[in-house]
Amino acid sequence: MKIILLGPPGAGKGTQAKSISNNYSIPHISTGDIFRKNISERTPLGIEAKKYIDRGHLVPDELTIDIVKDRLIEKDCDNGFLLDGYPRTVNQAEALEIMLKERGEKLDTALLIKVPKEFIIDRMTGRRVCTTCGASYHIKYNPTKIAGKCDICGNFVIQRDDDTEETVVERLDIYDAQTQPLIEYYTNKNLLSEVDGTQAINDVFKNICGILGAINSDNN
Ligand code: ADP
Ligand code: ADP
Ligand code: ZN
């Protein structure tokens, strides 16, 4: 399946992406994870991207679109992919459509994880992420089994530099201005599906499986 995940920062995209990717055997592609890897390796891309990410701004489309282009031509995307955090602008969505069209492919769905703003600050400031595999935890809602260590790979979990209340508020404004229009964009293409993201993590996942199962059988 070819899926993109939409939703504000803190909606639970990364959390659900790990489970969806396992269930459907498709790679989880997170542009945020790709940028963070480049930042930790101090590549030219990472140094440039960090300037925007630390302020809660979007990395410019010129940098972001090429990264996704390069990633989608890798062999593991032959049977589909799950994009988490891309597209974030209409320009990025149009670029994705062209990339897929050139391969004779199209998206199965743009899945919106709906979470009202009042949930977001609490989720983001309590978030902890694995420095190695990117798994996302929460100090209250999804704690690691061993304090400070990732359940999956055993490495350290940390708080992201951009998960401060101030930056999250900025990111939410940017979401409203630049990413929210994608909801209408994919509605007009009959590709939007929605799930209530306020429920417990496992319940959200069950609902996602129901939605994706129905789309998959319709498309086959
Ligand atoms: P996103 O990738 O959309 O920014 P994450 O998946 O990293 O979001 O989730 C943000 C934070 O909220 C994390 O700390 C995560 O553990 C927590 N979280 C995710 N889904 C839920 C949920 N359904 N209920 C409560 N907390 C959640
Ligand atoms: P979250 O889901 O918590 O908002 P991500 O890990 O998806 O965060 O992204 C972290 C940051 O990386 C974003 O705030 C933004 O600065 C940058 N970023 C990630 N994906 C994109 C994208 N598609 N376009 C522009 N900037 C991006
Ligand atoms: Zn890990």
Side-chain angles (χ1 to χ4, degrees):
M1 289 194 90
K2 296 175 199 74
I3 306 164
I4 65 171
L5 290 182
L6 292 178
K13 300 183 296 298
T15 302
Q16 298 299 334
K18 294 266 178 227
S19 306
I20 299 169
S21 157
N22 284 336
N23 215 38
Y24 286 88
S25 304
I26 48 177
H28 167 205
I29 302 172
S30 154
T31 39
D33 284 349
I34 296 173
F35 287 134
R36 281 185 288 278
K37 184 162 186 285
N38 276 276
I39 291 172
S40 73
E41 291 168 358
R42 296 194 171 75
T43 67
L45 170 70
I47 291 164
E48 186 61 18
K50 190 174 182 341
K51 295 183 203 159
Y52 298 92
I53 294 175
D54 282 352
R55 283 188 286 151
H57 292 179
L58 294 185
V59 178
D61 287 343
E62 304 83 82
L63 295 177
T64 309
I65 290 169
D66 282 345
I67 289 172
V68 173
K69 233 182 230 169
D70 290 346
R71 183 61 187 86
L72 290 184
I73 56 176
E74 284 183 36
K75 191 92 195 108
D76 63 342
C77 296
D78 282 356
N79 292 322
F81 52 79
L82 174 66
L83 275 171
D84 158 18
Y86 182 100
R88 265 180 154 97
T89 63
V90 170
N91 205 7
Q92 292 181 11
E94 286 168 346
L96 175 65
E97 205 175 324
I98 294 168
M99 286 174 221
L100 294 179
K101 211 175 249 169
E102 281 169 354
R103 298 149 51 134
E105 295 175 356
K106 81 187 263 303
L107 279 182
D108 289 289
T109 192
L111 175 63
L112 171 65
I113 306 182
K114 282 183 90 167
V115 175
K117 285 226 168 93
E118 52 271 25
F119 286 72
I120 302 291
I121 299 286
D122 185 35
R123 282 198 184 183
M124 299 293 269
T125 51
R127 171 158 71 180
R128 298 292 181 272
V129 295
C130 175
T131 46
T132 309
C133 75
S136 191
Y137 299 91
H138 192 281
I139 50 174
K140 274 191 281 182
Y141 309 128
N142 185 24
T144 54
K145 293 194 178 85
I146 300 168
K149 294 279 173 74
C150 176
D151 293 354
I152 300 167
C153 72
N155 283 301
F156 290 109
V157 297
I158 55 149
Q159 183 162 26
R160 273 168 44 178
D161 291 343
D162 60 341
D163 278 352
T164 61
E165 185 164 346
E166 194 191 4
T167 313
V168 171
V169 169
E170 179 69 21
R171 283 154 70 193
L172 283 172
D173 284 347
I174 290 195
Y175 174 81
D176 283 345
Q178 304 205 49
T179 309
Q180 178 110 322
L182 292 177
I183 297 174
E184 200 188 333
Y185 178 92
Y186 286 114
T187 302
N188 291 340
K189 293 187 181 289
N190 262 328
L191 284 174
L192 194 81
S193 48
E194 290 184 3
V195 67
D196 173 6
T198 63
Q199 310 200 343
I201 292 173
N202 286 341
D203 293 328
V204 178
F205 182 58
K206 275 187 211 141
N207 291 336
I208 289 178
C209 288
I211 294 167
L212 294 181
I215 291 169
N216 210 9
S217 60
D218 272 0
N219 289 0
N220 284 329

